[in-house]
Amino acid sequence: MERDLPDLIRTHLPSVWSLELLLMLRRGREGGWTARELTDELRASLPIVTSALERFERSGLVANDGQGRYRYAPASPLLAEFGEVIERQYRERPVTVINLIVAPEDRIQQLADAFRFRGSDRR
């Protein structure tokens, strides 16, 4: 998974706001969240939150209950693992994760190598 993390970040997390949103959804809430509740909680703009929720729904990270409430619901084991790994990595190495999100494409491999090197130290 660590090897795939840069690609998954580029695919699913276009901004640090979207990462914060995904992590909030992962923490869960009975009944889920509306876009307005998430906007208020994150102190974000409604269009940014709505756009991220639509993107997450299309990519299989969240589900909409049809009543406008969203919850974290990964559609595959890979996406579930991505959620776990990104939360752990952001907690342990927030600057590295932020750099992966905002880095230009030519720097992505260097940052990915930093994850791989550190990950091998733990084994």
Side-chain angles (χ1 to χ4, degrees), residues 41-77:
E41 190 72 23
L42 291 169
R43 297 183 183 132
S45 74
L46 187 59
I48 288 172
V49 169
T50 302
S51 175
L53 287 169
E54 290 169 355
R55 182 186 188 114
F56 290 159
E57 188 175 12
R58 280 192 311 272
S59 64
L61 285 165
V62 304
N64 181 337
D65 69 359
Q67 304 286 325
R69 300 194 76 75
Y70 294 85
R71 63 180 172 75
Y72 179 71
S76 71

Side-chain angles (χ1 to χ4, degrees), residues 105-119:
E105 296 261 345
D106 60 345
R107 296 245 358 228
I108 296 294
Q109 187 59 50
Q110 293 171 345
L111 292 167
D113 290 342
F115 270 105
R116 200 169 304 123
F117 179 74
R118 288 184 180 183

Side-chain angles (χ1 to χ4, degrees), residues 90-106:
Y90 189 52
R91 184 178 53 251
E92 294 173 3
R93 292 182 274 230
V95 173
T96 304
V97 172
I98 290 168
N99 284 338
L100 279 169
I101 293 170
V102 301
E105 296 261 345
D106 60 345

